[in-house]
Amino acid sequence: MALFHRSSMPAAAGLFLSLAALPCAVPAAAGEADGVKVHEGACSMSSAKGETLFAGDCVITRRPETRDVAGERCDYLRYEVLFPGVGLAVVQQGQDIVCPPRFQDRDAEFLAMDKRGQLVIATAEGALLRFDPGTADAEPAPVLPVLDDFLRGIEACSFTEDHQAFTRSLWAAFPITATDPDGLRSLSGAGGEILWPPGNPPPAQPLRSRKTGVVQQIDVPLRGTYLGLALVALRLETEIGTTAFRETYVFSAPHAEIERKFGASVRGARQQEPMPGDSPHALPEIAEDDPGRLMCEGEK
């Protein structure tokens, strides 16, 4: 039985939902043929009311494309901005004044460059996206720390001592009771006494905890790879006052790649019968949509 309803993972309605409905593209290699360039750069997303929904680093793919718009043949730069844990935003920047900017295959209100050199696009609903467009030259793929030893066994919901210490320190950083008001809290910098894995935390990416009713959620930015796949975030959830928990590992790869890599291990772990007297444990699951996510749900 699931300990959480899927609605317990709030996704900032509207804009988030439009991103989650899109397929998650697999980033191409930097400097690939046909003008495709990939880099990791700063990105942010704000709602129509001005609430910051995401601020951190995204994997950004840029490629030229040509399409017909209102009878005009337009040249575009197409940006695919993969927001960790959220989804894929597709922005098209027209290279001529008669070719309007587009967002998620619809005309957008405007697209401009801000003082920091980021592209800013406003959606028809009033939300704002900002992202680093990258340079004209091909860029090498970022070198990420290898977290294999730190995260060993997560596909079977078996956690190393270092990993357990890490998650305990995250919960300790955001003490919340059931009577506290709902809302979002941020923890900037290195997060105090948090026992980060090697090569972390990512620079300039705050930790965030959100309380919604009886559910607490902590979103943790990560940099690294696990068994060759790049990780971008960890989401922790609990029902306040209980031992129920869920850990979600967010990758910069689509569902199909996560299934190929971990599917057999996940199924094997789920088929194992607990031994008499075993303490409560968690079961692994692979999310059915994109971006690729590996989840552990159970009791502490």
Side-chain angles (χ1 to χ4, degrees), residues 18-276:
S18 70
L19 295 184
L22 284 173
C24 179
V26 181
E32 189 178 327
D34 301 323
V36 177
K37 297 181 176 65
V38 182
H39 69 285
E40 187 176 274
C43 58
S44 65
M45 181 189 305
S46 303
S47 70
K49 296 181 180 179
E51 179 189 7
T52 299
L53 305 178
F54 182 89
D57 288 339
C58 290
V59 175
I60 303 163
T61 303
R62 182 176 77 250
R63 58 168 57 83
E65 70 173 12
T66 301
R67 59 178 297 150
D68 290 325
V69 178
E72 296 284 346
R73 190 162 179 80
C74 286
D75 291 325
Y76 279 92
L77 281 179
R78 175 188 176 94
Y79 295 92
E80 296 173 358
V81 187
L82 181 58
F83 285 89
V86 180
L88 187 72
V90 177
V91 175
Q92 293 160 302
Q93 180 183 17
Q95 301 301 287
D96 191 282
I97 194 170
V98 300
C99 302
R102 297 172 65 80
F103 169 70
Q104 309 299 62
D105 210 29
R106 295 184 297 163
D107 287 350
E109 293 297 311
F110 74 85
L111 184 146
M113 190 80 74
D114 69 8
K115 293 180 180 179
R116 294 173 295 177
Q118 294 188 353
L119 281 178
V120 183
I121 189 162
T123 72
E125 295 78 18
L128 287 178
L129 281 80
R130 290 179 167 86
F131 60 93
D132 175 8
T135 65
D137 298 326
E139 302 166 27
V143 177
L144 301 175
V146 177
L147 304 181
D148 291 1
D149 291 339
F150 190 89
L151 298 176
R152 183 74 61 191
I154 60 172
E155 66 274 22
C157 295
S158 173
F159 308 119
T160 67
E161 291 185 6
D162 286 343
H163 180 51
Q164 292 181 69
F166 173 49
T167 55
R168 284 195 299 267
S169 70
L170 290 167
W171 289 118
F174 291 101
I176 288 180
T177 67
T179 57
D180 288 337
D182 286 1
L184 185 68
R185 303 180 183 184
S186 294
L187 189 64
S188 59
E193 299 301 319
I194 292 171
L195 304 176
W196 290 95
N200 282 273
Q205 294 192 46
L207 292 167
R208 286 187 170 86
S209 172
R210 183 184 294 272
K211 179 181 180 291
T212 306
V214 297
V215 174
Q216 181 184 4
Q217 170 186 308
I218 301 177
D219 286 310
V220 186
L222 284 179
R223 285 177 59 88
T225 62
Y226 180 60
L227 301 184
L229 296 181
L231 275 161
V232 293
L234 167 66
R235 171 171 287 180
L236 304 178
E237 294 169 281
T238 190
E239 293 182 4
I240 299 169
T242 75
T243 58
F245 80 98
R246 179 192 290 152
E247 296 187 6
T248 302
Y249 308 86
V250 184
F251 293 84
S252 64
H255 157 79
E257 193 164 348
I258 303 305
E259 176 64 37
R260 284 193 296 270
K261 175 70 77 171
F262 300 119
S265 296
V266 167
R267 288 187 291 273
R270 293 186 66 88
Q271 291 170 0
Q272 290 183 0
E273 293 290 336
M275 299 294 291

